[in-house]
Amino acid sequence: MTLRVGLSGGIGSGKSTVSAQLASLGAVVVDADAVAREVVGPGTPGLAQIAGRFGPDVIAADGSLDRPALGQVVFGDAQARRDLEAITHPLIRRRSQQLFEAAPDDAVVVHDVPLLVELGMGADYALTVIADVPEEERLRRLVELRGMDEQAARSRIRAQADDGQRRAAADVLLDNSGTLDDLRRRVDDLWSARIVPFREHLADGIPGSAPGAGSSGEDERLRARVEAALGRPLGEGVDLGALDEPAVRHGLRRRGLLMLTGDGQAAADGRASGASDEVVIASADPASAARLRLGMD
């Protein structure tokens, strides 16, 4: 069973280093930035649409997209930015989905998305991993290691989600405030102790069994994932029959979720029990303790 992991982090957090190491451990990495460049590459329909909307001045002499020129056009022009997004976002989603579907059935697919938190995408994954570095340390790295102007670096940082927002979205906060060797050890541990067991538990229908009740943040993230799978907010109750719809069952499994019977075991074939007026949803994440009980409308 494919396990989909969302990976993000602020500028200067070392997210790309985490992504590269996960790939070396066997993950299939879908890089959102690389996909965004691919769909508007020379000769693509996406680039043709951009030229048609914004004119030939945004195309460089070699036939590629002149990103600085395009940036000047859309900067400060909300309608132009919306028009650009209307062209690129569907292409990015379509190409990303093709890459997800091309992964082997038992793969761990890591979606590397710089703006995962800003775009509210956390509920789309079974596990959200955030490379965590305090803001002042990220600023130091940008200025001292990348040679950025301090004010420009601060502006880039402030344009993104803050540390608190990222921590609220994270199932895993991956501390990268130390050395590169420290980070590599943490990524190795994350892979072997959590990601691989999560994939195996999902395939075998084993819910998480961490001791104690889930934290409020964990409970909220579980609820958000269930709502994303259902395609609507949860009210006082839910039509349990909707949980047997193939699209909903697929959406739950894609987010690492299991439907449990009264004795805490995964329901057969991932289906809700027609004899029950309540279904329990749990993650197959071995570190999760959260449970969501859904009653009939």
Side-chain angles (χ1 to χ4, degrees):
M1 179 73 194
T2 299
L3 183 74
R4 192 177 298 186
V5 176
L7 171 64
S8 194
I11 183 172
S13 66
K15 174 182 62 63
S16 296
T17 301
V18 175
S19 178
Q21 187 170 351
L22 288 170
S24 74
L25 291 168
V28 175
V29 174
V30 177
D31 184 328
D33 281 346
V35 171
R37 291 190 296 270
E38 177 187 340
V39 299
V40 295
T44 61
L47 186 60
Q49 291 179 59
I50 289 174
R53 165 60 180 83
F54 297 102
D57 289 344
V58 302
I59 306 300
D62 64 358
S64 64
L65 179 63
D66 187 333
R67 293 180 181 277
L70 180 61
Q72 290 180 359
V73 173
V74 302
F75 180 76
D77 186 333
Q79 184 58 55
R81 187 174 64 254
R82 285 193 292 269
D83 290 347
L84 177 62
E85 292 171 349
I87 293 170
T88 60
H89 286 189
L91 296 171
I92 292 168
R93 285 194 295 269
R94 189 176 307 122
R95 179 56 178 153
S96 297
Q97 187 59 35
Q98 290 172 347
L99 294 171
F100 294 148
E101 292 174 354
D105 288 342
D106 62 348
V108 172
V109 178
V110 174
H111 195 194
D112 181 341
V113 188
L115 298 180
L116 183 153
V117 176
E118 291 83 348
L119 296 175
M121 296 173 62
D124 290 338
Y125 309 99
L127 194 72
T128 296
V129 178
I130 301 293
D132 185 41
V133 179
E135 180 178 313
E136 287 304 311
E137 173 60 15
R138 289 190 283 122
L139 177 65
R140 185 194 68 79
R141 293 178 183 181
L142 293 174
V143 173
E144 296 182 9
L145 303 181
R146 297 194 192 179
M148 289 183 65
D149 173 77
E150 181 174 340
Q151 188 55 49
R154 286 189 185 277
S155 296
R156 291 283 299 275
I157 288 172
R158 297 291 163 78
Q160 296 183 336
D162 62 31
D163 290 346
Q165 290 169 319
R166 288 196 187 88
R167 288 167 184 160
D171 299 296
V172 177
L173 274 175
L174 197 61
D175 180 12
N176 185 24
S177 58
T179 67
L180 182 58
D181 284 343
D182 290 337
L183 177 63
R184 286 172 174 159
R185 283 192 292 270
R186 290 187 177 103
V187 175
D188 284 342
D189 289 345
L190 171 65
W191 178 262
S192 62
R194 190 159 183 183
I195 291 178
V196 171
F198 194 161
R199 178 187 60 188
E200 294 171 349
H201 284 194
L202 182 61
D204 295 338
I206 301 172
S209 58
S215 68
S216 60
E218 187 182 354
D219 290 338
E220 289 167 6
R221 291 191 295 275
L222 173 60
R223 184 181 184 91
R225 288 183 168 108
V226 173
E227 290 179 336
L230 286 169
R232 65 178 179 85
L234 293 171
E236 294 300 319
V238 62
D239 176 7
L240 297 186
L243 298 175
D244 278 336
E245 295 175 7
V248 174
R249 294 203 308 273
H250 174 76
L252 290 169
R253 296 282 287 189
R254 196 189 92 185
R255 293 167 175 86
L257 304 180
L258 303 170
M259 285 186 284
L260 307 183
T261 61
D263 59 3
Q265 300 301 309
D269 300 323
R271 293 177 178 270
S273 171
S276 174
D277 60 0
E278 183 181 74
V279 169
V280 178
I281 307 292
S283 173
D285 179 0
S288 173
R291 299 287 188 272
L292 180 64
R293 297 182 181 277
L294 301 178
M296 291 181 67
D297 287 328

